[in-house]
Amino acid sequence: MATARRWVYHFGGGKADGKGSEKALLGGKGAGLAEMTRIGLPVPHGFTITTDACAQYNQRSGKWPTGLEKQVREMVGKLEHASKKSFGGPNDPLLVSVRSGAARSMPGMMETILNLGLNDKSVEGLAEVSSNRRFALDAYRRLIMMYGSIGQGIDREHFDSAFDEVKQTRTRPRLGRVNGKRILDTDVNAEELDYLVGEFKRIYRVHCGEEFPQNPFDQLKGAISAVFDSWMAEKAATYRRIERITGLKGTAVNVCWMVFGNMGDDSGTGVCFTRDPSTGEPVYYGDVLINAQGEDVVAGIRTPMKLDELKTRMPEVYDQLEAVRVILEVHYKDMQDLEFTLERGKLYILQCRVGKRSPAAAFKIAVDQATKGLISSAAARQLVKKKYLPKKYATAATKAIITKDQAIQRIRDVDIERLFYPIIDRHVPLMELESRMLGEGISAVPGAACGVVAFSAEMAEARADEGAKVILVRKETSPEDVGGMHIAVGILTATGGKTSHAAVVARGWGKCCIVGCDALDIDYNAKRMTLGEKLIREGDSITLDGGTGEIFEGEIPLDRPTTSPEYKTLLNWCDKRRRLGVRANADTPADAKKALEMGAEGIGLCRTEHMFFDSSQPERIRAMREMIIAQLEDKRRRALDKLLPYQRDDFEGIFEVMDGRPVTIRLLDPPLHEFLPKRNNKEALQEVAEDLNITVEQIVRRIEQLEENNPMLGHRGCRIAITYPEILEMQVRAIIEAAINCKERGIKVLPEIMIPLSISWTELMILVGRVRTVADAVLKERNSKVKYLVGTMIETPRAALVAGRMAEVAEFFSFGTNDLTQLTMALSRDDAGRFLPDYVDPHRANIFPVHPFQSIDVKGVGKLVRMACVDGRATRKNLKLGICGEHGGDPASIVFCEELGLNYVSCSPYRVPIARLAAAQAVISATRVAPRVLKSNSKPRSVVRPTKARAKAAKKTTRKTAVRKSSKRKKTKRARA
Ligand code: ADP
Ligand code: MG
Ligand code: MG
């Protein structure tokens, strides 16, 4: 007979069947417990049931997989042997906890059940060995409550009200405490708890139709099944769908023996981080609660003490904890977050994982870990001397533990994004946060906010008028809520994901927003909500942490982060490491300043039309309209003459800011009708007519002339310059005159004049010719010399197809991937909202893996870009290549740009640091994989030469991989032949 599959992995006594890398099989918690055991940390013995077992269980609709029960029994036997106790036995019983844990942490799954194995007999045994009957009974009532509510789905309310009743009818009279003064859990004595246990068992019986299981194995089996079931529970499944978590088999189940932090003043429980998670300072950071079990931390009954205090109160324990900190950091090479319990002076570690951190801390930790040790040599020596710390860890902990490259790779784009938003004040104690937490949703827009709750947009606006800061709380939002959303400091919704209305709108404003908080229950009529068993009324304060998705009760102090020296250091490392240039899209001198501040090396896209809409100078749009209305060239030219000085001033301002850096200026791009009011807007028409001193009919006639069935494919881009060369002439004159003026003032200018939406070589020839004629004439007039480039956007598929010829006239290409995506896919960005979400949702149509307007569609649009790069460079070796669509700020697209060997990416000023980081990360990962050489589909001659950085990177790869690579290449060659 074939042996059954292995479903369980043991850990304990320095040995573990599993290891840290087996997260998929053992879940995050299980893998952590195994790994910590292996590296010699004091972890209570236990075992992990694999995610495979969970998958099997769910496939077999709730039947335990073959062999699991036997294996669980064997494991329990092993625990009994190691602890020299018997599971749920009458004297000094072995008790266990049952904890869920998938490969990714996931709200909505089963919580932990503690004290499993207690029954009417073993509770007395526990009372005896602990010489504390109250403690034993308290553990028992907790078990019945947790097993009943978490495992069997009994509403917790029943247990809570029974507890309350005992407090009111028994504890209060016994203590003689006046009404109104609170009775704490700890006030309830053993006798009362004994009675309460009876009540809890009765509640259990009433709701489950059977007795609370007295057999420890029945309890264990029930708890394990409950964990398996929770994987498929609505809440967990919804979370996975919204967060797009796919490919996980199920949750693992961790069973480990109970240790007690509530056995007296030499016991306790705590949570800590190996570095300060808010600032990143290399100090041990955390809270301890003496004489308490894990659960009490959350209940927030007592104020915890800081780790620092433990140092003076229990120096030996503190030193052991310090050694644990060092071992964990050296081993995991990253900041860890851990849970521990102290049982009568003996330390146990119950959990560790990579610690969540604030964006500022992410930079500080990465830079610190790459440049210096965690502790001083003296401190390390002390710990070694006390035998708490093995020597090899001590040595490692005094030096840098990661490389600069690793530090760069550690930072995520959201860390940068979040760096500029408000955060929760780091001085707020962890345990206070934990006790005030109401629940968690999906973080849609980072940043923290606190304010009073309003359940409707109107109420939000009314409150805001009174000067209040408002948090708008809705089941979901719709367009009519936008007013209220706008004045709110934060938005919270019960439904929806990262692309819901609330999320999208809030993101546009950079406003703190949490969506999909499905535990949130709103009663619009009664104007109240419940969350985390708390009732919140309109006008009550709450605090949102959009970065983590957590929701807190009351007002929590906020802080505004500032960029730190470490941020600058790390981005400097990125700048040294990256090959791609990073520019910004900026239309005004103010934008340009911002761009420079964010580290842009030039402007990749300056949209000239934005200058005409400056509302502080209505003369601009007036002159523009005059030009559009004019029927005769002569009149048009006169209007353009008025525009010239404005444009020139703007360009001068931008050149001045960008002193010495390239500035790509795009000639007029939108269709002319966009500058006129809508035909049905009588008021605006009247205004414009008066303004221009013409009749409304004249304007309407012109609007009719300009009307198009399909403006996106109409008279726009360089087609306008073909029809009205005088517009191009004015713009080029403004650019060159501005450049000359700047040069005369000692400012270095590098203008790059860009022709939009070109589709043909001949068209480009004509326009480039016109640009050069004007530019050279102006230079001659002023007797000046300025180097300038003329190039084109590649944003139509045809331009990409004929790029080889385009490069004969264009000195640079800039890929306008927004239009290129629209036109390649025949997909209007403005209309796609109705169906595109289905296309990119893995749980619906799942047609595209990524949103094509957010991340470049490498297979389709990317193929055109690649082709244009290869063909363009085959014609003109030093053809400058850049990208200026939204994709220029998207990390995945930047990886693709790196692979293509583009010269630069250009994105909005705020995304510049993200692009700098992504460009460096792209180089680092490219050196690990073999650098790819571009091949044209048709012509073997058009191979883009590897750039310097690429060549260097290639050299750096070890000989071993080089050999592997060459043999691989040979193989593919053979295959092709
Ligand atoms: P979570 O993932 O929510 O942190 P855990 O499984 O880590 O859930 O446990 C919840 C609480 O129970 C924690 O405070 C933890 O320290 C405590 N706990 C879990 N297992 C044990 C155990 N075997 N002995 C003592 N306390 C435990
Ligand atoms: Mg935990
Ligand atoms: Mg365009």
Side-chain angles (χ1 to χ4, degrees), residues 480 509 697 791 866:
E480 63 259 25
W509 297 326
E697 289 69 44
R866 186 188 297 266

Side-chain angles (χ1 to χ4, degrees), residues 858-908:
V858 173
K859 284 188 189 153
V861 178
K863 191 165 180 179
L864 282 171
V865 174
R866 186 188 297 266
M867 187 193 292
C869 288
V870 171
D871 295 352
R873 282 216 167 129
T875 305
R876 186 188 291 265
K877 228 171 63 187
N878 60 351
L879 181 72
K880 234 184 188 179
L881 296 172
I883 178 173
C884 64
E886 291 292 296
H887 304 96
D890 166 63
S893 309
I894 290 171
V895 169
F896 182 62
C897 294
E898 170 64 27
E899 194 192 312
L900 293 180
L902 297 194
N903 296 82
Y904 68 86
V905 297
S906 187
C907 55
S908 83

Side-chain angles (χ1 to χ4, degrees), residues 672-778:
L672 295 181
H673 72 80
E674 280 190 15
F675 297 94
L676 296 178
K678 291 258 174 312
R679 192 148 59 120
N680 51 13
N681 191 341
K682 293 251 156 56
E683 225 169 280
L685 287 174
Q686 190 65 42
E687 221 173 274
V688 173
E690 271 166 33
D691 202 22
L692 299 183
N693 208 8
I694 52 172
T695 63
V696 170
E697 289 69 44
Q698 276 175 299
I699 301 181
V700 171
R701 205 173 316 129
R702 185 64 180 141
I703 293 174
E704 277 168 3
Q705 279 172 358
L706 291 173
E707 226 158 45
E708 290 173 317
N709 276 328
N710 207 336
M712 192 175 112
L713 308 178
H715 198 184
R716 59 179 283 230
C718 66
R719 297 159 200 181
I720 296 172
I722 291 286
T723 325
Y724 306 114
E726 54 279 7
I727 301 180
L728 171 146
E729 284 166 22
M730 180 279 285
Q731 291 200 300
V732 174
R733 176 170 280 275
I735 295 167
I736 300 298
E737 284 183 359
I740 296 170
N741 291 349
C742 284
K743 193 180 171 197
E744 285 172 357
R745 285 160 52 209
I747 297 161
K748 210 171 159 218
V749 249
L750 296 167
E752 301 178 346
I753 301 172
M754 180 156 79
I755 293 163
L757 210 78
S758 55
I759 49 175
S760 123
W761 176 83
T762 318
E763 179 194 43
L764 200 58
M765 268 299 275
I766 295 171
L767 296 174
V768 171
R770 281 182 192 162
V771 169
R772 290 202 179 283
T773 309
V774 177
D776 294 342
V778 175

Side-chain angles (χ1 to χ4, degrees), residues 29 99 339 351 353:
K29 206 175 276 170
R99 321 158 72 181
E339 285 175 14
Q351 186 179 331
R353 61 187 163 194

Side-chain angles (χ1 to χ4, degrees), residues 154-346:
I154 303 174
D155 194 342
R156 228 187 114 144
E157 184 66 19
H158 298 294
F159 295 111
D160 286 344
S161 59
F163 198 6
D164 212 43
E165 199 175 316
V166 168
K167 282 179 183 167
Q168 300 308 334
T169 60
R170 294 173 181 244
T171 317
R172 189 178 290 282
R174 174 175 56 80
L175 294 174
R177 194 166 288 175
V178 291
N179 278 349
K181 216 169 160 229
R182 243 179 96 194
I183 306 275
L184 302 175
D185 288 6
T186 42
D187 292 331
V188 182
N189 70 12
E191 203 180 311
E192 288 150 4
L193 281 173
D194 204 355
Y195 171 79
L196 184 63
V197 163
E199 280 301 289
F200 276 15
K201 283 197 290 194
R202 188 185 55 77
I203 293 171
Y204 188 95
R205 186 185 327 118
V206 168
H207 285 88
C208 299
E210 59 189 28
E211 293 293 335
F212 176 74
Q214 290 292 311
N215 180 329
F217 268 107
D218 289 345
Q219 292 175 5
L220 184 57
K221 275 166 66 180
I224 292 169
S225 294
V227 174
F228 286 158
D229 287 333
S230 73
W231 174 257
M232 297 303 282
E234 179 89 26
K235 251 186 358 186
T238 308
Y239 182 83
R240 288 196 292 276
R241 183 169 52 75
I242 291 169
E243 286 292 299
R244 308 193 161 185
I245 299 174
T246 50
L248 296 189
K249 286 176 283 199
T251 176
V253 186
N254 300 290
V255 178
C256 69
W257 78 32
M258 281 302 298
V259 289
F260 295 100
N262 48 347
M263 279 203 159
D265 285 341
D266 53 355
S267 304
T269 181
V271 204
C272 45
F273 290 81
T274 55
R275 295 173 194 244
D276 185 327
S278 316
T279 62
E281 287 297 325
V283 294
Y284 215 168
Y285 181 93
D287 305 328
V288 195
L289 211 52
I290 294 296
N291 195 10
Q293 213 175 33
E295 258 209 327
D296 300 337
V297 173
V298 188
I301 303 166
R302 277 174 287 153
T303 326
M305 71 184 190
K306 295 257 154 268
L307 267 186
D308 260 357
E309 224 180 307
L310 188 73
K311 198 177 190 167
T312 44
R313 276 184 54 179
M314 301 184 190
E316 288 311 304
V317 172
Y318 184 86
D319 281 348
Q320 288 173 50
L321 262 176
E322 176 73 3
V324 169
R325 167 179 178 238
V326 168
I327 292 171
L328 282 177
E329 274 232 0
V330 169
H331 184 74
Y332 285 105
K333 298 190 184 341
D334 199 354
M335 188 264 267
Q336 298 289 303
D337 140 5
L338 59 139
E339 285 175 14
F340 68 89
T341 284
L342 193 61
E343 184 185 276
R344 292 186 163 153
K346 169 133 182 50

